[in-house]
Amino acid sequence: MQERGLEPRFSNAVQQQLAGIQGAALESGPQIHDLRALDWCSIDNDDSLDLDQLTVSEDLGHGRVRVLVAVADVDALVKKDSAIDRHAHINTTSVYTSAQVFPMLPERLSTDLSSLNQDQDRMALVTEMVIERDAAIGPSKVYQAIVRNKAKLAYDAVSAWIDGQGALPDAAARVPGMAEQLRTQDEVAQRLRQRRHAEGALEFETFQPRAVFEDSRVVDIRQQVQNRARQLIEELMIAANVCTAHFLARHGGSSLRRVVRSPERWARIVALAAQYGSVLPRTPDNRALELFLAQRRRADPERFPDLSLVVVKLMGAGEYVVERAGAEPIGHFGLAERDYTHSTAPNRRFPDLVTQRIVKALLMHEPPPYDASELKALAAHCTAQEDATRKVERRLRKSEAALYLEPCIGQVYPAIVTGVTAHGTWVRIFTPPVEGMLVGHVPALDVGRKLRVRLLDTQVERGFIDFCVEAG
């Protein structure tokens, strides 16, 4: 982290400010709605403690559903330019490794006082939206509220229940009507998902292995699997971020946007599709690209993660930019959205906290908390630090995999070629899902070629894993 310009420890000034915080912020006033009676729930990873958002829904009949997304009001405790805020500004995001999380905010805040924990009253910003029968996002509004999480749930257990493979989680079963809530939200999310893909939103399946620890030992490497509960939260958060962007646009001024530009390397994406017998238009077209990706997922699911990674790299990374009211939006090519911001994770992403402050200032008719020059500098800084964080997390994943495979030197694995460059040839073994480099005599190989490889060496400190082609 230090090599990448990230700060792994909190300063004495942060600790002093933290010691002065007596408890969770609770505010009152005519502008603050009391929504504690609603059947809110959170759905996150099994081990997640920094709960940023809650959801609740109401069936309006005729296929229309009102959805409310509550986002933790972190600004209520972390004020601009305070010591805690300055630390968050340095890192701009929490850094997640399998062995340890380096939170953007001190854990007393991110996992307690500013987290939407079960059975605790918390301040929140609520996005209220109506999802129409055709999954279009109808009228929406944003306001401050007090909320109370009735059920802390986890992705895998909720997804198993939705798919009929498991029981309703106990935390949900204890709340009358929560099962119906989850069914409604799942149904709405799937409709939103279908509409987005019809409009050209891209669906990838990238390679994301995660180490499983028991005490200090790595006991397994597992690939994170997409499921219905993850899709539920993903779709409702995308919708909330779109509504927040629309709110900011309606009220004028400058704000941060999350964008993925139209791919400059589109010609290379066209050439890649041609290798599979598919023809893409000469100019960027996300609908055509999504049709190609969907076709390849069906035709060759085993190799699809590797194809996804190539396309993601050719598209270019997301970034933060400043947009002004009335200006032509850049948009998010991957999500097929013209107006999009990050607003739903202020405990772990600094741009979301910045957006929260801008929204609150508008709601309270106060001057903007950031001027245009501050926002421009923040956009560039947050983009750079996100890239640094991604490199740290990738480096740690490689070291975790090398540590796990250290006792397995000499073993032979089935593998698939994932990359061929002037610098070398890379392969991925299937169990455990780990990627490494071919060394020694390497024959000419194409991406997607299946072969058998022998594990030759691992270097935990550097995250290196070396294979050789197994004869025969």
Side-chain angles (χ1 to χ4, degrees):
M1 288 178 65
Q2 290 172 333
E3 288 172 3
R4 297 288 179 183
L6 300 167
E7 179 51 65
R9 299 176 186 85
F10 293 105
S11 67
N12 290 334
V14 168
Q15 301 297 348
Q16 290 172 7
Q17 181 187 348
L18 189 63
I21 298 175
Q22 301 302 312
L26 287 178
E27 302 173 7
S28 60
Q31 80 280 10
I32 296 175
H33 300 230
D34 188 346
L35 303 182
R36 288 174 288 184
L38 296 182
D39 290 334
W40 297 98
C41 73
S42 62
I43 311 177
D44 215 310
N45 291 311
D46 290 297
D47 56 354
S48 291
L49 298 176
D50 50 348
L51 305 181
D52 278 302
Q53 65 272 142
L54 307 176
T55 58
V56 70
S57 59
E58 177 188 1
D59 192 336
L60 301 177
H62 306 290
R64 303 173 77 237
V65 177
R66 177 179 289 113
V67 174
L68 280 70
V69 174
V71 174
D73 186 350
V74 173
D75 173 69
L77 287 175
V78 181
K79 298 303 182 183
K80 182 174 183 275
D81 295 327
S82 64
I84 295 175
D85 185 62
R86 288 194 293 272
H87 176 91
H89 176 273
I90 292 171
N91 285 3
T92 76
T93 181
S94 294
V95 181
Y96 292 90
T97 75
S98 299
Q100 183 177 348
V101 175
F102 296 87
M104 183 182 79
L105 302 176
E107 288 186 350
R108 182 165 172 253
L109 297 183
S110 62
T111 68
D112 184 7
L113 300 182
S114 61
S115 177
L116 300 177
N117 293 347
Q118 184 172 315
D119 300 327
Q120 300 293 321
D121 294 346
R122 292 288 186 263
M123 296 302 300
L125 274 186
V126 172
T127 299
E128 179 179 324
M129 51 194 160
V130 173
I131 309 301
E132 305 290 354
R133 185 173 184 174
D134 63 354
I137 300 175
S140 67
K141 53 186 175 180
V142 181
Y143 49 83
Q144 294 175 279
I146 302 178
V147 299
R148 189 177 181 90
N149 185 355
K150 301 291 180 65
K152 179 181 183 292
L153 306 173
Y155 289 128
D156 292 347
V158 171
S159 187
W161 171 73
I162 290 172
D163 292 334
Q165 303 298 316
L168 180 67
D170 289 343
R174 287 194 292 267
V175 181
M178 185 59 75
E180 290 76 12
Q181 280 281 336
L182 294 171
R183 292 287 187 200
T184 298
Q185 293 177 40
D186 171 62
E187 188 272 332
V188 167
Q190 291 303 313
R191 275 197 280 148
L192 287 167
R193 188 176 184 80
Q194 291 170 12
R195 182 184 177 97
R196 286 198 311 108
H197 288 301
E199 293 178 348
L202 307 178
E203 183 169 6
F204 299 106
E205 185 180 313
T206 52
F207 182 57
Q208 294 182 315
R210 180 181 174 87
V212 179
F213 277 80
E214 286 184 3
D215 298 321
S216 61
R217 294 185 307 113
V218 180
V219 296
D220 199 3
I221 304 285
R222 296 176 187 167
Q223 170 76 335
Q224 180 176 291
V225 179
Q226 181 71 297
N227 59 40
R228 288 284 283 261
R230 291 182 185 277
Q231 291 172 359
L232 186 161
I233 294 301
E234 180 180 276
E235 295 301 328
L236 297 189
M237 295 312 112
I238 290 172
N241 284 327
V242 169
C243 290
T244 300
H246 290 165
F247 172 87
L248 293 167
R250 288 197 303 269
H251 287 81
S254 301
S255 59
L256 287 182
R257 289 289 193 272
R258 178 65 174 180
V259 305
V260 173
R261 299 178 187 273
S262 183
E264 293 181 358
R265 291 179 286 183
W266 179 255
R268 292 181 61 183
I269 295 176
V270 171
L272 176 67
Q275 295 176 17
Y276 294 91
S278 296
V279 178
L280 295 180
R282 296 181 63 181
T283 57
D285 185 324
N286 47 15
R287 285 190 178 91
L289 181 55
E290 168 56 14
L291 287 173
F292 164 66
L293 291 171
Q295 177 193 45
R296 294 313 309 164
R297 179 193 292 272
R298 290 191 301 269
D300 195 350
E302 193 170 61
R303 294 178 174 88
F304 186 70
D306 306 303
L307 174 64
S308 292
L309 182 60
V310 173
V311 175
V312 166
K313 288 180 177 179
L314 290 174
M315 282 180 55
E319 61 183 295
Y320 294 100
V321 301
V322 180
E323 287 192 0
R324 296 169 177 80
E328 182 68 19
I330 296 171
H332 194 298
F333 186 85
L335 295 177
E337 293 287 354
R338 287 174 57 80
D339 292 290
Y340 190 73
T341 190
H342 271 170
S343 66
T344 57
N347 271 309
R348 60 183 179 85
R349 274 193 318 229
F350 195 66
D352 303 57
L353 180 54
V354 170
T355 295
Q356 184 172 91
R357 290 172 175 152
I358 296 171
V359 169
K360 287 179 66 177
L362 289 169
L363 290 173
M364 293 185 280
H365 307 288
E366 295 178 348
Y370 302 90
D371 61 30
S373 62
E374 281 183 288
L375 284 177
K376 184 177 180 180
L378 274 170
H381 177 66
C382 290
T383 299
Q385 295 301 77
E386 181 184 66
D387 180 62
T389 296
R390 191 163 47 240
K391 289 175 179 175
V392 167
E393 292 174 346
R394 184 167 64 238
R395 171 70 176 273
L396 264 291
R397 284 197 301 270
K398 290 179 178 179
S399 289
E400 291 159 1
L403 183 62
Y404 180 68
L405 286 177
E406 204 170 32
C408 305
I409 290 173
Q411 291 191 21
V412 176
Y413 300 88
I416 187 171
V417 178
T418 58
V420 179
T421 72
H423 302 291
T425 300
W426 281 263
V427 296
R428 171 166 55 87
I429 62 176
F430 299 101
T431 307
V434 168
E435 194 169 44
M437 186 177 183
L438 287 180
V439 298
H441 173 68
V442 180
L445 296 168
D446 293 327
V447 171
R449 167 78 178 273
K450 290 183 178 180
L451 69 168
R452 292 175 65 78
V453 298
R454 183 180 298 275
L455 178 62
L456 286 184
D457 189 26
T458 65
Q459 297 182 39
V460 176
E461 187 75 17
R462 303 176 72 184
F464 287 178
I465 298 173
D466 292 340
F467 297 100
C468 68
V469 176
E470 177 70 0

